[in-house]
């Protein structure tokens, strides 16, 4: 297991599994994200990622699979890149909602 990736993931994701599940049920969560080239996919990539992140957060670390470790790296990279694009309005922005779909609420760093 890649302990460094797991540690970075756990330090980057700042929403708990239950909190993330609750967020993913909101209209704001469902309104953001990439839904394929034609925009008609039933779920955005970020929303699907959020469901997977919640599953990973519930899994004992010693049971993580190789594909989950790779997905953790993807999450870390997305959150780092997207966080750098911070808008003036962080509280009710699509930027924040998208990050929350990936398990990271940037407002927690402010408040």
């Amino acid at each position: 297991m890649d302990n460094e990736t797991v540690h970075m993931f756990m330090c980057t994701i700042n929403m708990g599994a239950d909190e993330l599940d609750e967020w993913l049920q909101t209209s704001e969560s469902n309104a953001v994200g990439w839904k394929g080239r034609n925009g008609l996919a039933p779920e955005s990539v970020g929303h699907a990622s959020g469901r997977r992140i919640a599953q990973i957060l519930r899994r004992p670390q010693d049971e993580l699979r190789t594909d989950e470790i790779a997905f953790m790296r993807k999450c870390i990279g997305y959150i780092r890149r997207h966080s750098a694009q911070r808008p003036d309005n962080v509280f009710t922005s699509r930027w924040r909602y998208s990050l929350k779909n990936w398990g990271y609420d940037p407002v927690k760093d402010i408040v």
Side-chain angles (χ1 to χ4, degrees):
M1 178 173 52
D2 183 346
N3 290 328
E4 184 177 335
T5 297
V6 173
H7 176 74
M8 285 297 300
F9 178 81
M10 294 303 185
C11 289
T12 301
I13 302 299
N14 69 356
M15 295 173 72
D18 291 342
E19 179 184 14
L20 184 51
D21 284 339
E22 188 175 315
W23 162 252
L24 292 172
Q25 294 176 27
T26 67
S27 59
E28 292 88 354
S29 170
N30 286 295
V32 297
W34 190 70
K35 295 185 178 182
R37 286 186 196 163
N38 61 8
L40 300 176
E43 181 178 43
S44 72
V45 172
H47 198 271
S49 294
R51 288 186 301 102
R52 188 169 183 193
I53 291 165
Q55 290 172 343
I56 289 172
L57 291 173
R58 289 186 174 96
R59 184 184 301 279
Q61 289 185 12
D62 61 345
E63 294 179 14
L64 292 169
R65 301 182 316 258
T66 304
D67 64 308
E68 291 171 324
I69 301 292
F71 179 71
M72 288 176 164
R73 284 189 207 99
K74 179 179 179 176
C75 294
I76 294 164
Y78 177 84
I79 291 168
R80 283 183 179 167
R81 285 188 312 278
H82 203 63
S83 293
Q85 300 168 6
R86 183 185 195 104
D88 291 334
N89 169 16
V90 297
F91 292 96
T92 58
S93 64
R94 294 175 62 82
W95 171 82
R96 178 186 182 202
Y97 299 160
S98 179
L99 280 167
K100 285 181 73 171
N101 280 353
W102 287 81
Y104 177 71
D105 185 353
V107 170
K108 287 186 176 186
D109 293 341
I110 296 171
V111 180

